[in-house]
Amino acid sequence: MKNVGVIGGGTMGAGIAEVVAKSGSNVRVLERAEAVDAAQERIATSLARGVKAGKLSEEDSKAALDRVTVTTDIESFSDCELVVEAMPEIESLKLEYFHKLDEIVSPDAILATNTSSIPVIRLANATKHPERVLGMHFFNPVPVMNLVEIVTTLKVDPAVVEKVKTYASETLGKKTIESKDQAGFIVNALLVPYLLSAIRMYETGFASAEDIDEGMVNGCGHPMGPLRLADTVGLDVCLPIAESLYAEFSEPQYAPPVLLRRMVDAGYYGRKSGKGFYDYTKK
Ligand code: 3HC
């Protein structure tokens, strides 16, 4: 892929842009004017972290950054062979951009979504070529987490699936797994009820946040506990995923706990806002 587009330069979009740029492609990232600098900064900071961690050279980091253009101009995506949409989990917003992209890119370009939980076929149907639309679900933090879930739909062309699988594994160096198109796919369908159970446990006062997290880190060998992980993913991201899962399956395990809703209402989004189940403003 010579030119790849990423729609959205938030946590996930910036991470996807970084791994694509490191693989040698030119990357265009679409952002709102007021968020362009922050997206650019996010990518530069993570690349610098990679250099500090000894994962890439200063020279490769600079070359990767030079391949990234953060822009407000969606028309400049016309020569992209692949576009990955990584916007907030708002279906109407995603539909609008799939419709726009379909008009802009060439008919054989591949359109992928990084949605965490929205059925991909709904986004595919916003285009005239649903056979070239599929899910490419990355994990946070994208430069570190090794997985991409490839989500197929009832309409996707199997050749597109094979091409994207090969690209994700051979070019981006990620492990791929394939999932059918149901809300949450494989990983979030398992992970999110676990995070919600931890929130419910904390909500009832049964145990402290620290003890719940220590339990799973030290008792089960998880790299971080569920409440810290929810803070890292973003509570504003966890809530719509839970809502999508509940809308899809109508099972109580997916119903968002009231506390999660209230924390999102309060603007307590977790690590990104400085407060979630933990306070990130303290040094
Ligand atoms: N670029 C390249 N490498 C980096 C890097 C960067 N920007 N930042 C860190 N690294 C490397 C480090 O060098 C280190 O490598 P090593 O193991 O070879 O030494 C490794 O990544 C871990 O980094 P740190 O030592 O700095 O940090 P921790 O050991 O504290 O690990 C973590 C951080 C990887 C985030 C770990 O806590 C973890 O795995 N947490 C769970 C994350 C998780 O579950 N993510 C999935 C969320 S669900 C999701 O995303 C789906 C969505 O739809 C909601």
Side-chain angles (χ1 to χ4, degrees), residues 61-176:
S61 162
K62 189 180 173 315
L65 200 55
D66 286 346
R67 284 192 282 270
V68 178
T69 310
V70 185
T71 173
T72 56
D73 178 20
I74 196 169
E75 298 291 334
S76 71
F77 283 56
S78 59
D79 61 356
C80 289
E81 291 131 273
L82 167 71
V83 181
V84 185
E85 170 278 312
M87 285 189 303
E89 288 291 277
I90 302 169
E91 192 169 331
S92 56
L93 194 64
K94 289 183 189 281
L95 288 171
E96 182 189 329
Y97 279 88
F98 269 86
H99 181 68
K100 275 188 194 161
L101 284 169
D102 193 46
E103 304 285 320
I104 291 167
V105 297
S106 77
D108 58 350
I110 297 171
L111 300 180
T113 174
N114 180 56
T115 179
S116 306
S117 57
I118 296 172
V120 178
I121 192 70
R122 294 196 201 147
L123 306 177
N125 278 346
T127 73
K128 288 196 282 297
H129 296 284
E131 69 283 357
R132 46 106 159 235
V133 178
L134 80 176
M136 264 184 108
H137 184 216
F138 291 80
F139 292 81
N140 182 16
V142 181
V144 179
M145 303 310 284
N146 207 16
L147 186 71
V148 179
E149 259 178 316
I150 307 290
V151 185
T152 61
T153 72
L154 293 173
K155 291 185 179 171
V156 72
D157 177 351
V160 168
V161 176
E162 278 318 303
K163 190 168 175 186
V164 171
K165 262 185 169 170
T166 306
Y167 171 69
S169 57
E170 290 179 12
T171 307
L172 301 184
K174 300 284 188 191
K175 168 98 194 140
T176 62

Side-chain angles (χ1 to χ4, degrees), residues 12 18 22 42-43 45-56 89 114-117 137-145 149 184-185 187-188 191-192 195 222-225 228-230 232-234 237-238 241 271:
M12 295 305 286
E18 179 188 334
K22 282 196 287 198
R42 221 168 262 134
I43 298 166
T45 304
S46 177
L47 280 166
R49 213 175 148 191
V51 172
K52 207 166 159 213
K55 303 288 171 190
L56 80 168
E89 288 291 277
N114 180 56
T115 179
S116 306
S117 57
H137 184 216
F138 291 80
F139 292 81
N140 182 16
V142 181
V144 179
M145 303 310 284
E149 259 178 316
F185 318 126
V187 176
N188 280 338
L191 175 68
V192 173
L195 300 183
H222 290 194
M224 53 172 68
R228 196 170 289 281
L229 180 55
T232 302
V233 167
V237 174
C238 291
I241 300 176
R271 200 176 286 274

